[in-house]
Amino acid sequence: MKTLIKMSMKLLVRTKIIWLFIVFMPVLSTLLLKGNTHYTAFVEEDELVVELDSADEKVAYYGSNGQYTVKVYDASNTELSNYLLERLGNSGLFTVCRADISERQVTDEFIKDHIEFDAYEDRMGAALYIPADFDEKMLEGKMDEALTMYVLSDDSRTDALENELTLQLSRIDTAKDYILEADSEADEIIENLKSVDDMTPEKKVTSVAGTGNDLTEEQSDQKAQMGYAFSFLTLGFVFAGFFVANGAIKEQKNGVFTRVSLSKTNVLTYFASKFVSVFLVSVLMTGVVALCSLMLDMNDVGMSRPVFVLIIFMMGLIFSSLSMFMGIMMNDVFGASVATFTLWCMSSLFSGSYFPLDSASKAIKVISALMPQKWFLQGTEMIFVGDNKAYGMLICITVAYLAIILSLGGIGLKVRRSEEWGES
């Protein structure tokens, strides 16, 4: 077995392109972790009213976590309309997204086309249209004409939106009546309303790490960076496994494997030697990651350096072993390379490395549960919040994946050799 391992490692060391993955991918992932990037997709929206770039912008993204999204076409854009939308956002029941159309020529056809687009091409609970004469309508007491609501879903929270709109419009109308001057201005109404708001207890929501695995904003950013780093490191590990498989494929083509099978060395021993080669390559690449991590402030990563290196090693060993197994089973260099690249793409996509899958369908979540990165990201999150169960979970996940890969690999090689001998 030692001879088989030495032969495999010599072939790997002589393959120049493997060093590109072993060195470049850790460096690239380190640069990603070193950059303090703010990922708004992983945190709650702090703004009471989300300002859209244009009326054509979709708002489905802002309701990705199940929020009731309201798209507002604001042709008024006055202090009074701003106050109304801020009160809607401050209620905590809705995500308000405003498109400022005050400088556009708004026609009935314009509103009709956009509402139809929202109904068929976007996803939201309701849409509001605030006309340019909103202030005048409210000052005249014409609440029913002040804005138009379009119901675009069968969400039961639509009733809450209607009630909240009625409440806020009624407050504006009542505040107008308290002003003695007949020609009261909108700013006087707002000043009256805000004086009442100041007497209302202020609602404050604080995100606390460690409660139900909720992450702070900083930890959410760290998790997002870790996901991207995992993706690039996975690419390095899967191609490291591919090069081991490439050597095994050449050995099968050149009859080396047949000669090994005719000797005292059995198929499982041969496969085990390839696994040891993958193990050594994974150790080598993890060592490069450890050296690169010296450039990092581990407080920014969210965990200690030994824990970080251990996580990378376990995840890398899984992917390099899986890639090697797939390549040997395919017995074709081109097919193995395509399978390896597909493995990296699909696993990174469905694991949540690029974007959160909390609001994905059940089918997507089931697929996600099969991806190793998903569990390592979950373990990373548990480590962030101080949950020591993460270490046991990650070790069990690693052992389970390796047991499946090694079992299927041994069985697959036996089946392949039986077929080849049957044909001969």
Side-chain angles (χ1 to χ4, degrees), residues 45 56 98 133 145 163 206 234 283 288 308 355:
E45 182 61 54
D56 299 325
R98 180 194 19 217
D133 57 352
E145 302 177 12
N163 293 335
T206 304
T234 300
V283 170
V288 177
F308 172 71
F355 43 79

Tab-separated table of all heavy atoms in Angstrom, residues 45 56 98 133 145 163 206 234 283 288 308 355:
chain	number	residue	atom	x	y	z
A	45	GLU	N	-33.800	44.906	7.000
A	45	GLU	CA	-33.762	46.247	6.444
A	45	GLU	C	-33.986	47.267	7.558
A	45	GLU	O	-34.963	47.211	8.295
A	45	GLU	CB	-34.874	46.379	5.377
A	45	GLU	CG	-34.905	47.724	4.695
A	45	GLU	CD	-33.613	48.009	3.967
A	45	GLU	OE1	-33.201	47.200	3.151
A	45	GLU	OE2	-33.036	49.073	4.253
A	56	ASP	N	-39.931	50.771	-12.086
A	56	ASP	CA	-39.849	49.455	-12.718
A	56	ASP	C	-39.114	48.423	-11.855
A	56	ASP	O	-39.104	47.247	-12.192
A	56	ASP	CB	-39.131	49.566	-14.073
A	56	ASP	CG	-39.878	50.484	-15.035
A	56	ASP	OD1	-41.116	50.480	-14.992
A	56	ASP	OD2	-39.213	51.199	-15.804
A	98	ARG	N	-40.951	52.482	-1.741
A	98	ARG	CA	-41.519	53.616	-2.460
A	98	ARG	C	-40.773	53.898	-3.756
A	98	ARG	O	-39.543	53.943	-3.788
A	98	ARG	CB	-41.479	54.871	-1.603
A	98	ARG	CG	-42.087	56.035	-2.387
A	98	ARG	CD	-41.876	57.417	-1.877
A	98	ARG	NE	-40.832	57.655	-0.976
A	98	ARG	CZ	-40.947	58.530	0.042
A	98	ARG	NH1	-42.083	59.140	0.258
A	98	ARG	NH2	-39.925	58.756	0.826
A	133	ASP	N	-51.901	65.361	-5.981
A	133	ASP	CA	-52.687	66.281	-5.152
A	133	ASP	C	-53.082	65.641	-3.823
A	133	ASP	O	-54.153	65.928	-3.276
A	133	ASP	CB	-53.934	66.734	-5.905
A	133	ASP	CG	-54.809	65.563	-6.358
A	133	ASP	OD1	-54.361	64.395	-6.223
A	133	ASP	OD2	-55.936	65.816	-6.836
A	145	GLU	N	-60.396	59.769	-1.676
A	145	GLU	CA	-59.775	60.110	-2.942
A	145	GLU	C	-58.280	60.381	-2.808
A	145	GLU	O	-57.604	60.626	-3.800
A	145	GLU	CB	-60.456	61.346	-3.539
A	145	GLU	CG	-61.962	61.177	-3.757
A	145	GLU	CD	-62.608	62.451	-4.271
A	145	GLU	OE1	-61.855	63.370	-4.672
A	145	GLU	OE2	-63.855	62.539	-4.255
A	163	ASN	N	-56.620	48.515	7.624
A	163	ASN	CA	-56.908	49.126	8.922
A	163	ASN	C	-55.858	50.166	9.297
A	163	ASN	O	-56.188	51.235	9.842
A	163	ASN	CB	-56.981	48.047	10.009
A	163	ASN	CG	-58.161	47.114	9.825
A	163	ASN	OD1	-59.168	47.480	9.219
A	163	ASN	ND2	-58.042	45.892	10.331
A	206	THR	N	-33.847	44.900	19.426
A	206	THR	CA	-32.419	44.653	19.546
A	206	THR	C	-32.117	43.210	19.194
A	206	THR	O	-32.743	42.296	19.736
A	206	THR	CB	-31.919	44.945	20.976
A	206	THR	OG1	-32.266	46.287	21.324
A	206	THR	CG2	-30.419	44.747	21.070
A	234	THR	N	-13.815	25.066	-1.871
A	234	THR	CA	-14.399	23.828	-2.396
A	234	THR	C	-13.913	23.554	-3.810
A	234	THR	O	-13.619	22.406	-4.167
A	234	THR	CB	-15.932	23.912	-2.381
A	234	THR	OG1	-16.383	24.105	-1.045
A	234	THR	CG2	-16.554	22.629	-2.927
A	283	VAL	N	-4.521	17.708	3.471
A	283	VAL	CA	-3.677	18.251	4.537
A	283	VAL	C	-2.777	19.353	3.987
A	283	VAL	O	-2.599	20.410	4.612
A	283	VAL	CB	-2.822	17.134	5.169
A	283	VAL	CG1	-1.762	17.723	6.098
A	283	VAL	CG2	-3.705	16.165	5.943
A	288	VAL	N	-1.775	25.310	3.547
A	288	VAL	CA	-1.687	26.597	2.841
A	288	VAL	C	-2.731	27.571	3.390
A	288	VAL	O	-2.462	28.762	3.582
A	288	VAL	CB	-1.869	26.399	1.324
A	288	VAL	CG1	-1.857	27.745	0.599
A	288	VAL	CG2	-0.779	25.495	0.769
A	308	PHE	N	-11.030	27.319	12.738
A	308	PHE	CA	-11.189	27.661	11.326
A	308	PHE	C	-10.471	26.652	10.438
A	308	PHE	O	-11.035	26.151	9.453
A	308	PHE	CB	-10.650	29.076	11.096
A	308	PHE	CG	-10.570	29.482	9.656
A	308	PHE	CD1	-11.720	29.734	8.919
A	308	PHE	CD2	-9.346	29.610	9.031
A	308	PHE	CE1	-11.637	30.114	7.582
A	308	PHE	CE2	-9.253	29.991	7.699
A	308	PHE	CZ	-10.409	30.235	6.979
A	355	PHE	N	-26.174	32.805	-1.325
A	355	PHE	CA	-27.313	33.585	-0.818
A	355	PHE	C	-28.129	32.689	0.112
A	355	PHE	O	-28.121	31.472	-0.012
A	355	PHE	CB	-28.194	34.085	-1.972
A	355	PHE	CG	-28.455	33.061	-3.039
A	355	PHE	CD1	-29.409	32.069	-2.861
A	355	PHE	CD2	-27.730	33.068	-4.217
A	355	PHE	CE1	-29.644	31.115	-3.835
A	355	PHE	CE2	-27.956	32.111	-5.202
A	355	PHE	CZ	-28.917	31.139	-5.014
